[in-house]
Amino acid sequence: MGRLAAGMSRLGTESAFEVLARAKALEEEGRDIINLGIGQPDFTTPQNIVEAAVKALRDGHHGYTPAGGIGPLREAVAADIEKMRGVAVDPGHVVVVPGGKVTMFFAIIMFGEPGVEILYPNPGFPIYQSVINFTGAKAVPMPLHEESGFSFNAEEVLERITPATRLIVLNSPANPTGGVVPRAEIERLVEGLEAHPGVTILSDEIYSRMLYDGRTHVSLLEYETIRDRLIVLDGWSKTYAMTGWRLGYGVWPASLVAAATRLAINCHSCVNAATQYAGIEALTGPQDSVDRMVAAFDERRGVIVEALNAIPGFRCTEPGGAFYAFPDITGTGMGAAELQDRLLAEAGVATVAGTSFGVHGEGYLRFSYANSTDNIRQAARRIRECL
Ligand code: PLP
């Protein structure tokens, strides 16, 4: 076999998919597994959205579309941003892509190369660090702190900026912690970034609709001083239970729209047409199914935090957003990876080790509570018995 490009050996992965594969293999052997590993809603896509895709296929939308997405979808995204975030966005700056991940991949390969530094949250979504490493850039972790709800500290982030820093990745509400960065911390960071005009910001806002206890989403789009170097990532996967459809978008600054579109043309040409019509219906149709799903997550959040805190050796703070709980498990005396493996093999409960999200995830385990309250309670019982 020929030799692979060097970057391939630096590419990481998303362990949640590996845990999912192991859980499925155990299920095929007849084991009963409760899956609190993978981060996807356990709901199906609302029927009105499914029907819109079926109709699009019946109406003959079978061909390529413009690389950045069909006009009505980009307009629907801009209108949704105006409605949800109170910010006007030019539909021409919206680039529709196959899933939230693609905006992330494009933004990081656009800026990453040897000699460059990119800051990313740690513990954070593992693909940030993986793709940064792939490009040959230096991945600089920005630690998140449990005592401040897994927020970053703006001063700490700003201190890490050097002349080589080209991109900062932010994510709130966050995977894997469920953390929500307080507005005041974001404002301190934005203010500090004014002194670093050469640094672009990628704000991953894929969990923007999943907030609890009356919290409202703070979008980086609200801050005019950084708009000309801000990329916002969002999509349909989590909000509309559409992870398998592969639909997401980026809002790019004017200067980067052409580059993002060119990457799309080189990579996937466009998102499949019927899915784009489904995306319009999702944004413009009734939103009550989103509200119902978020209310269900909120109830499960209460159940899982209480259940995890009742396990000896576990200590779980209340997450403010997304659908993850991230308990400290140091009291069990086990490392995160060891505990993850034991819980899957012995208790039949799939979780993801905090270390899958970076070095600062040691001592924690990620639980996705996108599962029924019965399953959550049963999983906690099994863990207690196993330990
Ligand atoms: N960003 C974060 C923080 C995520 O947790 C995920 C998915 O788990 C994504 C992006 C990717 O979403 P998608 O499935 O739409 O690619």
Side-chain angles (χ1 to χ4, degrees):
M1 228 229 338
R3 202 168 118 197
L4 294 183
M8 286 305 295
S9 66
R10 298 191 298 264
L11 200 57
T13 187
E14 195 184 341
S15 307
F17 282 97
E18 288 169 5
V19 171
L20 181 67
R22 275 159 62 191
K24 286 264 175 279
L26 287 170
E27 274 173 350
E28 274 160 25
E29 288 169 15
R31 290 279 308 277
D32 174 33
I33 305 292
I34 301 176
N35 197 337
L36 305 182
I38 193 82
Q40 76 174 332
D42 57 326
F43 299 93
T44 53
T45 306
Q47 202 54 32
N48 61 310
I49 300 175
V50 175
E51 290 306 327
V54 172
K55 179 172 185 305
L57 285 173
R58 293 224 166 93
D59 288 349
H61 294 292
H62 303 166
Y64 292 124
T65 76
I70 54 176
L73 179 57
R74 298 166 90 176
E75 279 159 25
V77 168
D80 183 68
I81 290 173
E82 174 117 45
K83 186 171 95 188
M84 303 306 303
R85 293 168 165 94
V87 181
V89 162
D90 181 342
H93 293 185
V94 174
V95 179
V96 175
V97 284
K101 263 181 184 165
V102 180
T103 298
M104 181 187 307
F105 190 77
F106 283 5
I108 296 172
I109 63 170
M110 217 180 262
F111 289 96
E113 62 183 336
V116 164
E117 295 179 9
I118 300 180
L119 270 73
Y120 71 100
N122 190 320
F125 190 53
I127 302 305
Y128 307 139
Q129 187 182 357
S130 165
V131 181
I132 296 167
N133 288 339
F134 174 72
T135 65
K138 181 174 168 198
V140 179
M142 133 201 335
L144 305 181
H145 303 289
E146 186 185 350
E147 60 278 13
S148 52
F150 289 107
S151 173
F152 58 75
N153 172 294
E155 281 74 41
E156 246 178 22
V157 178
L158 294 165
E159 273 167 16
R160 283 169 168 73
I161 296 177
T162 75
T165 308
R166 264 197 213 161
L167 183 69
I168 295 187
V169 182
L170 304 174
N171 173 221
S172 175
N175 179 4
T177 61
V180 179
V181 179
R183 180 180 286 278
E185 209 59 57
I186 291 181
E187 292 189 349
R188 269 196 288 277
L189 180 66
V190 169
E191 220 168 274
L193 284 172
E194 284 169 28
H196 303 282
V199 175
T200 297
I201 302 114
L202 168 64
S203 180
D204 181 344
E205 302 184 6
I206 196 104
Y207 296 103
S208 63
R209 295 282 288 275
M210 284 163 188
L211 284 159
Y212 310 109
D213 301 329
R215 288 179 178 82
T216 51
H217 180 57
V218 183
S219 175
L220 272 285
L221 281 168
E222 292 174 36
Y223 301 97
E224 271 307 320
T225 55
I226 53 165
R227 277 291 289 277
D228 62 348
R229 52 194 168 106
L230 171 69
I231 304 158
V232 168
L233 177 166
D234 201 344
W236 287 257
S237 296
K238 317 285 174 175
T239 310
Y240 299 99
M242 292 177 73
T243 51
W245 293 69
R246 309 313 300 141
L247 186 63
Y249 66 81
V251 180
W252 297 80
S255 60
L256 296 178
V257 175
T261 310
R262 187 168 291 203
L263 281 171
I265 291 168
N266 275 271
C267 178
H268 56 263
S269 299
C270 63
V271 173
N272 91 67
T275 292
Q276 295 191 48
Y277 283 90
I280 298 175
E281 174 61 22
L283 296 178
T284 60
Q287 301 294 301
D288 46 316
S289 42
V290 180
D291 299 336
R292 270 200 304 277
M293 190 167 68
V294 175
F297 286 146
D298 193 10
E299 185 199 349
R300 296 158 179 194
R301 182 177 69 117
V303 171
I304 200 164
V305 170
E306 193 185 328
L308 292 176
N309 275 319
I311 300 171
F314 278 50
R315 187 181 50 74
C316 185
T317 54
E318 194 159 72
F323 40 67
Y324 306 107
F326 202 61
D328 177 316
I329 50 86
T330 48
T332 63
M334 273 179 269
E338 183 191 356
L339 187 57
Q340 170 204 285
D341 290 347
R342 272 194 59 185
L343 294 185
L344 182 57
E346 295 171 25
V349 178
T351 63
V352 184
T355 41
S356 299
F357 305 95
V359 290
H360 295 291
E362 183 53 282
Y364 296 92
L365 216 52
R366 187 189 80 172
F367 287 76
S368 161
Y369 53 84
N371 209 317
S372 69
T373 49
D374 282 352
N375 278 345
I376 291 169
R377 287 200 180 93
Q378 204 195 335
R381 246 189 325 271
R382 287 195 198 172
I383 295 172
R384 268 204 316 269
E385 281 161 19
C386 167
L387 294 177

